[in-house]
Amino acid sequence: MATSSPSQSGTSPSLPSTMKTVIVQEFVSDFSNDENLEKAIQWSSDTPVPRLQKNEMLIKVQACSISAGDVIMVGGNLIFLHPNAFPFVPGMDVCGKVVDPNGSEKFKAGDVVVAANGMSPVGGMAEYMAIKQPEAVLKPESVPVLNAAASSSAITARNAVMDHVKEGDRVLILGGSGGVGSAAISFAKHVAKASFVATTSTQADLCTSLGADVVLDYRTENWWERQWGEGSDSTASAQDGIKATTVFFDKIIDCVGGGNFVGKAEKVCKPGSQGGEFVAVTGDDPKPDARTLWKAVQFFANLPWRPLYTRWIAWRSVPTYILLMPYDLPQGRAQVLELMEQGKLSIKLDPQSPHSFSAEGARKAFQILASGHAHGKVVVAVEP
């Protein structure tokens, strides 16, 4: 990992040789267990400053946001995301200032950039981080540092919405108050121009402020049992041509996972033959157990079957299942930041964010995100 790899070019002589970091000493088996968290997530004052490899540059981290991939990494749930060794520094999505551009022709010292550590969620909860130059994008001046660091989930939301939602579509977003879901609401309503956006959440005010027409409290009502478009729904019934109906939505975007939601989608979503799609951001299990190679093989072997079944066999009766895969992250990051700068996209932080740059702050951040009840992006402020 970058925090302990051998040097090719070294670091700037004006930089310290060590830095403060949050470190993970062992996998967290239970994020709700304070004792487990305290044992696993700790503080270090003498972690070596990263030594740069070719095509890398060094940034002084200002903020680091975490997402589901970070929880999987710290929990050890996926063997392909296991670290090379313990301890490791968690976090991958950051905003920070370039201190050593390492020969970059695009960036210079002092530039504030938004970046991620590729597909490896390590290195961000530290004073300094080595990032690959192609992964970095300049932060627009008007975009706050914390929100810029939190923009990563909006890339996922962008891909889920902009690749599948057409102007005029009626869209249901499951989990509208999380990092991806909250951004998906904004994308669907304000960028893709969906005619109607509903979401499931307990945070009605937050989701409405982002553009949701209807917010359904999943604690008191099941979205697959509701008669969407009926007269009691003032927003939907106000639209010309929309009458009470069960099969109402053109697209469902699942940002929650679990609960066999895809099996319920056909009750309210058009079939694939009519353009209906169920876009799975998280999959059936948001916390898969693929800790061993055999479990990982079983997990990935099952992924293609549902898309094939819904596309080629049951396409007249069920919506097409789309398993969203990450792609085009640097370009997506640039587009997201541009929309934020233009005021067309709002990135909401969880009310308890930012968390302090400390072991305690990192534990709390991971605990909130792993609980499934974060209401916006979870961020650690590395530089006050």
Side-chain angles (χ1 to χ4, degrees), residues 4 25 35 95 177 284 330 353:
S4 59
Q25 295 279 22
E35 184 177 346
C95 180
S177 57
D284 288 346
S353 288

Side-chain angles (χ1 to χ4, degrees), residues 170-174 223 249-254 261 264-266 268-269 276-280 319:
R170 298 194 289 267
V171 183
L172 172 62
I173 297 169
L174 306 181
W223 54 266
F249 292 102
D250 299 285
K251 307 293 188 304
I252 295 178
I253 299 175
D254 181 13
F261 290 149
K264 302 176 176 72
E266 63 189 83
V268 299
C269 187
E277 291 180 340
F278 183 95
V279 182

Side-chain angles (χ1 to χ4, degrees), residues 24-29 36 40 73-76 82-83 86 88 291:
V24 177
Q25 295 279 22
E26 61 183 51
F27 291 135
V28 177
S29 58
N36 190 193
M73 177 78 178
V74 173
H82 283 186
F86 287 102
F88 67 91
R291 297 169 185 268

Side-chain angles (χ1 to χ4, degrees), residues 114 134-135 137 151-159 162 187 327-340 345:
V114 184
E135 293 286 340
V137 176
S151 64
S152 56
S153 292
I155 304 172
T156 303
R158 161 194 174 267
N159 296 346
M162 301 310 295
F187 267 110
Y327 71 92
D328 203 16
L329 296 181
Q331 182 179 346
R333 186 173 295 112
Q335 291 180 355
V336 163
L337 290 168
E338 182 180 1
L339 289 169
M340 293 171 67
L345 177 65

Side-chain angles (χ1 to χ4, degrees), residues 38-71:
E38 290 176 9
K39 185 178 180 182
I41 300 178
Q42 299 183 12
W43 180 256
S44 172
S45 298
D46 58 358
T47 301
V49 170
R51 294 177 178 271
L52 299 179
Q53 306 293 322
K54 183 179 179 181
N55 210 32
E56 289 184 337
M57 59 185 183
L58 193 71
I59 65 169
K60 192 173 193 325
V61 180
Q62 296 173 318
C64 175
S65 71
I66 58 174
S67 58
D70 297 289
V71 173

Side-chain angles (χ1 to χ4, degrees), residues 300-324:
F300 285 107
N302 288 329
L303 294 181
W305 297 112
R306 183 174 289 143
L308 292 173
Y309 173 76
T310 58
R311 186 177 295 275
W312 299 107
I313 299 175
W315 61 288
R316 292 184 182 275
S317 58
V318 301
T320 301
Y321 181 85
I322 308 289
L323 180 61
L324 194 71

